[in-house]
Amino acid sequence: MAALRIAFEAPDSPGNSSASGKKPIDFAHLAVQTMGDKALEIEVLQLFARQARQVLKEIVEGEGIVRAQAAHRLKGAALAVGAVDVASVAGAIEHNPAEASFCDRLADAVLEAELFILKLCR
């Protein structure tokens, strides 16, 4: 149980926030989604990290409608856990799947969220 307490008291440091200065996960939103259950928050974040990596691969390797559908799934998953940067870029890909530069931005956002989640779950 001590690991959960430590996990959600991550210090504010450059490695814990995005380039914009905000954390990759909106904990207030996540707490609402999980009704404040910290163990469930950890489980949901870990599931999201795995799913995000898998769907990112589909987006990078896919084209057209396949890419748009994968981006839609990732956007929904990201919104559910409060990963707003991931959701924003995934939404851009959903609406413009041919724009290759969005894939790099999405990869950066997913990596940032994954690293943040891993740090929380130590």
Side-chain angles (χ1 to χ4, degrees), residues 1 4 10 16 31 33 37 74 84-85 89 96-97 101 103 115 119 122:
M1 202 52 121
L4 289 177
N16 283 348
Q33 296 295 91
D37 183 330
L74 181 56
V84 292
D85 290 343
V89 182
N96 190 359
S101 69
C103 290
L115 292 174
K119 196 171 204 178
R122 281 193 220 167

Side-chain angles (χ1 to χ4, degrees), residues 3 17 22 24 39 41 44 47 51 56 66 79-81 90 99 107 111-112 115-116 119:
S17 59
K22 64 183 179 180
E41 288 178 11
V44 166
L47 286 169
Q51 179 185 17
L56 176 61
V66 171
L79 288 172
V81 300
E99 179 56 54
L111 179 60
E112 185 175 38
L115 292 174
F116 187 76
K119 196 171 204 178

Side-chain angles (χ1 to χ4, degrees), residues 49-122:
R50 283 193 301 274
Q51 179 185 17
R53 175 62 59 166
Q54 292 169 346
V55 176
L56 176 61
K57 184 176 186 243
E58 290 177 42
I59 291 169
V60 169
E61 293 175 353
E63 292 181 13
I65 192 71
V66 171
R67 181 179 280 173
Q69 289 172 338
H72 178 78
R73 286 195 325 271
L74 181 56
K75 180 180 77 173
L79 288 172
V81 300
V84 292
D85 290 343
V86 173
S88 175
V89 182
I93 292 171
E94 179 183 12
H95 294 291
N96 190 359
E99 179 56 54
S101 69
F102 289 155
C103 290
D104 290 337
R105 288 181 41 210
L106 182 61
D108 290 344
V110 167
L111 179 60
E112 185 175 38
E114 280 182 325
L115 292 174
F116 187 76
I117 292 166
L118 286 171
K119 196 171 204 178
L120 288 174
C121 296
R122 281 193 220 167

